[in-house]
Amino acid sequence: LNGKFRELFFPTLFTSIAGNFAVLIDAFFISMFMGSMYLSVVQSVEPFVAFINVVYWLIGLGGSVICTMAKAEFDEERSNAYFTISVIGIIIIGLIITLSTIVFQNQFVDLLCHSAQMRQFVAQYFYYYALGIVFECYMVSLAYFIKTDGFISMQFRAFLICNVVNIIFDVIFMKFLNFGIAGAAMATTVGHLVSAIYITLYF
């Protein structure tokens, strides 16, 4: 039992750290390449990021728990049904959120940012971050399920790939291509996209 606990605990711990590392990466490179004043852009979008976290926690983590319970009862059909419903559901919800944020971008930015000076930067960051929401939700939710299925190292590698790609493209977009604050969000979206493609190998 202790061995199984350690087997699950450390990858889960590292995954939790990696999953929340993207925002820290963006904040670090924004302060490095643009100045600490622009950190308020990331802070403005943070409540929306937290909302997205809740969405994939509810479906990904919650779905994986009831999926595990069905497995423990040796009900593979019900377990597979929970998995299918959760994955399809998170993709649909992710698409709805992504499309809603694009269509109602101005309303979201007005809600998140009350500074006329920073509004254009918040709008840029928010738009490119929103484009990757469906990939983020899909990737994180699937990561919870594959851990239940025993693919613990693959879960961790997916988050590691996401953050490494994010770091690389932060430098490319912000330093070499001078995309500014939008480059930080683009890098995050590319990281989620690449990681989503990688974790799909699970199927």
Side-chain angles (χ1 to χ4, degrees):
L1 185 60
N2 287 334
K4 180 58 68 174
F5 173 79
R6 287 192 294 271
E7 178 186 341
L8 293 171
F9 174 75
F10 290 107
T12 303
L13 176 64
F14 293 141
T15 297
S16 298
I17 294 172
N20 292 284
F21 201 56
V23 175
L24 291 176
I25 291 172
D26 284 346
F28 174 78
F29 284 107
I30 287 171
S31 63
M32 176 183 291
F33 296 133
M34 300 186 66
S36 57
M37 183 185 75
Y38 292 92
L39 288 176
S40 61
V41 173
V42 178
Q43 293 169 342
S44 297
V45 180
E46 185 60 30
F48 182 76
V49 174
F51 167 73
I52 299 302
N53 290 345
V54 171
V55 171
Y56 60 64
W57 282 338
L58 283 171
I59 298 177
L61 182 57
S64 68
V65 170
I66 60 175
C67 183
T68 303
M69 292 170 61
K71 277 180 172 290
E73 296 169 357
F74 302 100
D75 191 342
E76 288 294 326
E77 184 177 350
R78 185 156 57 96
S79 175
N80 290 336
Y82 287 142
F83 170 79
T84 302
I85 292 169
S86 298
V87 172
I88 293 175
I90 195 64
I91 292 174
I92 293 173
I93 292 172
L95 285 171
I96 290 172
I97 295 174
T98 299
L99 293 174
S100 298
T101 52
I102 293 173
V103 174
F104 301 104
Q105 179 185 352
N106 292 331
Q107 287 81 355
F108 277 103
V109 173
D110 289 339
L111 185 65
L112 294 169
C113 178
H114 301 285
S115 169
Q117 181 182 3
M118 302 303 295
R119 191 185 187 283
Q120 61 172 323
F121 300 107
V122 173
Q124 292 173 21
Y125 187 89
F126 179 81
Y127 175 78
Y128 288 105
Y129 170 79
L131 292 179
I133 288 174
V134 63
F135 304 115
E136 178 183 6
C137 290
Y138 165 77
M139 183 268 293
V140 178
S141 295
L142 190 57
Y144 285 118
F145 277 100
I146 66 174
K147 183 180 72 173
T148 301
D149 224 10
F151 291 82
I152 300 171
S153 60
M154 188 177 192
Q155 178 201 45
F156 174 67
R157 287 197 297 270
F159 284 100
L160 183 63
I161 289 170
C162 178
N163 288 306
V164 170
V165 170
N166 189 7
I167 291 172
I168 293 172
F169 279 91
D170 265 327
V171 175
I172 293 173
F173 288 153
M174 298 184 72
K175 183 176 181 180
F176 296 108
L177 298 181
N178 295 317
F179 286 166
I181 204 80
M186 288 180 193
T188 300
T189 294
V190 172
H192 289 142
L193 172 60
V194 173
S195 186
I197 293 172
Y198 166 76
I199 207 168
T200 302
L201 294 174
Y202 160 78
F203 290 108

